[in-house]
Amino acid sequence: MARKGRAARLNERAAFRPPTGRTLEESSLTEQGLAAPGKKTGRILLIACGALAREILAIKEINGLDHIDLTCLPAKLHLYPDQITQAVEGAVEKHRSSYDQICVVYADCGTGGELAQKCTELGVEMVPGPHCYSFFEGNEAFAKRADAGEITAFYLTDFLVKQFDAFIWRPMGLDKNPELRDMIFGNYTKLVYQSQLNDPALIEKARDCAARMGLEFEHRHTGYGELQEVMLDWSTTADPE
């Protein structure tokens, strides 16, 4: 039997459902994702990156989007962007018969346009933009900053601040070889923390991340950015029960 690819194995493990009364854990979203609930008529399913689970659930609650369900692929797929398209395709095919509409809460995310092409082939919509740093800030505003010369910034979101060691420090080998820091981050000048929540503890943790990386620190509170706008647009395309 042929050995399954990394994306297929991660997708099969995306069956974590938090027990009643317990909160989501970033480590579970990183490794396992979030399972979809049972199908109900007239509902939309969002297939999302685990790094966006908390933000999506918050937007759902704030706006009363009770006819939208969520399933998440493991956030660690971002460490293997060439596997994202395959994993998303598998999730769409898995849930297509159970939902009236499926939308994909990924931007391009390093897939080189492959994810957008696949979503078009599958007939599902996705969030526009190159990555979540862009749509949190606003794609137009992010592009203007880039055009103005902000090309040496390293970006973190709430999730990435919490998962800094798991997503950045350890995968880059800096836990065992800290002397590699300047070689890895030498072309960056600052760390930009795009916060979704105004949490002083997270701001301080992000500041510490910048210090560990040897970078200047800048905090921008973006909130949910264009993610909320896109979800609200999608929410009108299906009739709530």
Side-chain angles (χ1 to χ4, degrees):
M1 181 181 295
R3 188 171 183 268
K4 294 181 180 178
R6 188 190 307 275
R9 296 196 304 273
L10 288 174
N11 199 27
E12 287 179 353
R13 290 166 56 191
F16 170 75
R17 183 174 287 113
T20 302
R22 292 183 59 183
T23 58
L24 293 174
E25 296 291 339
E26 273 72 17
S27 59
S28 295
L29 294 170
T30 296
E31 297 290 337
Q32 298 169 290
L34 181 69
K39 181 253 195 297
K40 294 181 181 178
T41 305
R43 300 185 72 79
I44 298 172
L45 178 67
L46 303 185
I47 296 173
C49 170
L52 299 173
R54 290 182 180 276
E55 288 72 30
I56 292 169
L57 293 174
I59 292 169
K60 274 172 45 67
E61 182 176 357
I62 291 168
N63 295 281
L65 305 180
D66 297 329
H67 61 300
I68 293 181
D69 291 334
L70 173 66
T71 185
C72 291
L73 299 174
K76 68 185 295 181
L77 275 173
H78 275 291
L79 300 174
Y80 319 100
D82 59 315
Q83 301 289 327
I84 291 175
T85 300
Q86 178 188 349
V88 169
E89 180 182 16
V92 171
E93 296 298 349
K94 177 180 179 180
H95 297 291
R96 187 187 291 279
S97 63
S98 300
Y99 280 86
D100 293 352
Q101 180 181 347
I102 293 177
C103 299
V104 173
V105 191
Y106 277 86
D108 181 74
C109 298
T111 67
E114 289 185 1
L115 181 58
Q117 180 179 345
K118 179 57 65 176
C119 285
T120 298
E121 293 173 4
L122 294 170
V124 298
E125 294 186 60
M126 61 181 281
V127 180
H131 39 63
C132 64
Y133 314 124
S134 182
F135 66 66
F136 274 140
E137 186 134 342
N139 285 315
E140 184 177 346
F142 190 90
K144 286 181 178 178
R145 286 184 182 274
D147 290 342
E150 188 175 276
I151 58 174
T152 58
F154 192 97
Y155 299 92
L156 295 181
T157 62
D158 286 359
F159 181 88
L160 290 175
V161 170
K162 296 174 183 177
Q163 288 286 288
F164 181 77
D165 286 310
F167 254 77
I168 297 165
W169 209 250
R170 289 199 295 272
M172 291 184 176
L174 291 166
D175 56 329
K176 297 179 180 178
N177 301 286
E179 70 277 3
L180 296 177
R181 186 195 72 171
D182 292 343
M183 181 180 73
I184 294 173
F185 300 120
N187 291 324
Y188 293 99
T189 58
K190 65 179 177 180
L191 182 150
V192 176
Y193 169 37
Q194 298 175 324
S195 64
Q196 286 69 68
L197 299 175
N198 254 323
D199 184 337
L202 282 180
I203 294 173
E204 286 307 306
K205 186 171 183 180
R207 192 185 303 277
D208 177 67
C209 293
R212 291 170 64 185
M213 297 167 72
L215 302 177
E216 296 180 6
F217 177 71
E218 181 176 341
H219 172 223
R220 298 177 194 156
H221 181 64
T222 65
Y224 304 122
E226 292 177 1
L227 176 59
Q228 181 165 234
E229 298 171 17
V230 171
M231 283 181 58
L232 288 172
D233 286 343
W234 287 340
S235 74
T236 63
T237 60
D239 295 325
E241 291 181 297

